Amino acid sequence: VQLQASGGGLVQAGGSLRLSCVASTSGFIIDGMGWYRQAPGNQRELVGRITKTGSSDYADSVLGRVFVSRDAGKNTVYLQMNSLKDEDTAVYYCNAEARRFGRSNVYTYWGQGTLVTVSS
């Protein structure tokens, strides 16, 4: 499974940004997809994720401002970020949990990361 993230960039505080991540999944079924972020000096943390049934959960720090959605037909996950704050500045990584057809073992895959910089 290969993940290609896009949409990062420089945005002013209070602005919005949408990230996209497309998964190449030959021979795999994706169970869940999501977004994590890592700011300098910090550990990677969950931003938001969505299951194949559409259930989602978010970090407390982004509740009400950030929304994750998924187009299963396109193997694409989106992260809509609104009311951005300085502390949202980080490298954002998309993530997928996938398993081979007919198998039960689930593996985790990561995209290359896309930088989001929020300026005040």
Side-chain angles (χ1 to χ4, degrees), residues 79-92:
L79 187 71
Q80 176 66 45
M81 301 187 289
N82 303 319
S83 303
L84 283 162
K85 305 176 181 180
D86 289 353
E87 52 263 42
D88 294 318
T89 294
V91 177
Y92 284 71

Side-chain angles (χ1 to χ4, degrees), residues 33-111:
M33 298 186 78
W35 292 92
Y36 289 70
R37 68 185 180 187
Q38 187 168 17
N42 291 355
Q43 292 186 336
R44 192 173 297 187
E45 62 177 5
L46 172 70
V47 179
R49 58 191 171 191
I50 186 167
T51 69
K52 60 183 178 181
T53 60
S55 298
S56 58
D57 63 298
Y58 300 91
D60 289 345
S61 59
V62 302
L63 275 174
R65 302 188 297 117
V66 169
F67 303 93
V68 61
S69 60
R70 180 177 173 181
D71 185 334
K74 295 181 179 180
N75 285 328
T76 301
V77 63
Y78 304 97
L79 187 71
Q80 176 66 45
M81 301 187 289
N82 303 319
S83 303
L84 283 162
K85 305 176 181 180
D86 289 353
E87 52 263 42
D88 294 318
T89 294
V91 177
Y92 284 71
Y93 297 90
C94 64
N95 157 286
E97 296 181 340
R99 53 191 167 83
R100 289 190 178 275
F101 286 110
R103 301 291 180 90
S104 59
N105 290 348
V106 178
Y107 300 93
T108 300
Y109 298 88
W110 295 92

